[in-house]
Amino acid sequence: MDEQNTENRIEFLKGDKVLWMVILVISIFSIFPVYSASSNLEYIVNNGTTTGHVIKHMFFVVLGLVIMRVVGVIKYEYIGKLSSILLGLMIVLLVVTMFTGQTIDGASASRWLKIPGTPISFQPSSFAFLMLIIYLCRYLTKKITRERLPIENIMYIFGPILLVFVLVAKDNGSTALMILMVSVVVLVIGQLHWKYIAGFISASFIAIVLFLIIALNTNLIGGNRVHTWMSRIETFTSSKAKTADVDDESVKAKNYQVMQAKAAIVHGGITGMGPGKSALKQMLPQSASDFIFAVIVEEYGLIGAAFLISLYLIMMIRIVMIASKMPAFFGSLLVLSLGVMIFIQLSVNIAVAVNLIPVTGQPLPLISYGGTSMLVTYLQLGIILNISSRIQIYDEEGMGKKQSVAEINDIA
């Protein structure tokens, strides 16, 4: 009887158990820095209460874990087959967001779409990004050995990527660039011919340059954020320049976010100031979301930051292991692609906090305050855990032969 109960408890964590443990530890840990940093929203931004924000965050953590587990009982092949329909829906929502989008929590871009009749808002761009990657994985799996006609690649691969990129780029440049980066990686590991990938990169580069020229010199693209991007790049380069004009007050004002983040990291030292004792969180814009890593370093020190990064590293290693063990090409490609999405978002957030790249609005996976990003990350991890649970179906030892061409063609 006890053995049966034990089996039931273990089965609740369906899929890779190590990955499950890492996700749970990060999720629980996230409550503490969000509780600390959200005081900025209460006392500086005058938005809600600290208790209210942490309760909201805990709600999304629990909801995310539930979604992750529910996704685990759905065949991931079905998710792949639905991706084209869901991608089409997300594209429609992106178009709607362009005209009716809202700003929340002091953001300067209209990225959020409010659900009619409710106070709930979400970012369609995050879901569109996810659906695009799943769609690409499925399409690249179908008829993998057949040489596709150029028109097919343009219509069914490059077309959706560029369409989503264009719809997202106007209000969310960093996410749009991530969409292009991850898509190219998916095309590479999905074994699309190099000549098409090179052509797509070249065409994308030309399109981006033209977009920038038009946006900077004309009024044809109304409400774009190109000037904001250029300002951030100029601010970043000026912060790196060792010249006298770096001390100019206007430069200091533009560098305010980065300066406060760097100060918080330095203030943390080796062991940190202790949970909730960040001195700079009140002066750090977006301390609960975009710059939460700086708050973590200040409160938990280099040791705490190293521990957190180690957890993320274990997560990435387990994702690669799952992909390598999965005999199904679609499953393996999908796991790697979702892992790349999480890794790039993680890297960008930390790189911004330590001033390695210009400021962007990318959250720290599973930690930053914000519902849409958290739920999308849990959804990504839910699909990965789903696929990991299917490995033993192919081979009880967890390792099996890679699929034949016929099997690959049938799976998607």
Side-chain angles (χ1 to χ4, degrees), residues 299-319:
E299 295 188 349
Y300 299 92
L302 181 62
I303 295 175
F307 174 72
L308 178 61
I309 292 175
S310 297
L311 291 176
Y312 281 122
L313 181 60
I314 294 172
M315 178 187 293
M316 293 299 111
I317 291 173
R318 298 306 299 185
I319 289 174

Side-chain angles (χ1 to χ4, degrees), residues 187-206:
L187 298 182
V188 172
I189 60 180
Q191 302 180 21
L192 185 66
H193 198 286
W194 274 103
K195 65 181 181 182
Y196 294 118
I197 297 176
F200 174 68
I201 294 174
S202 301
S204 299
F205 177 77
I206 294 172

Side-chain angles (χ1 to χ4, degrees), residues 310-371:
S310 297
L311 291 176
Y312 281 122
L313 181 60
I314 294 172
M315 178 187 293
M316 293 299 111
I317 291 173
R318 298 306 299 185
I319 289 174
V320 172
M321 290 177 63
I322 292 168
S324 66
K325 291 181 178 181
M326 186 63 186
F329 182 81
F330 175 55
S332 180
L333 176 61
L334 185 54
V335 168
L336 282 177
S337 300
L338 297 178
V340 169
M341 288 180 67
I342 297 172
F343 175 76
I344 290 181
Q345 181 179 332
L346 164 68
S347 302
V348 168
N349 179 276
I350 295 177
V352 167
V354 298
N355 198 28
L356 289 179
I357 62 174
V359 174
T360 67
Q362 295 303 318
L364 190 62
L366 297 180
I367 291 185
S368 289
Y369 179 70

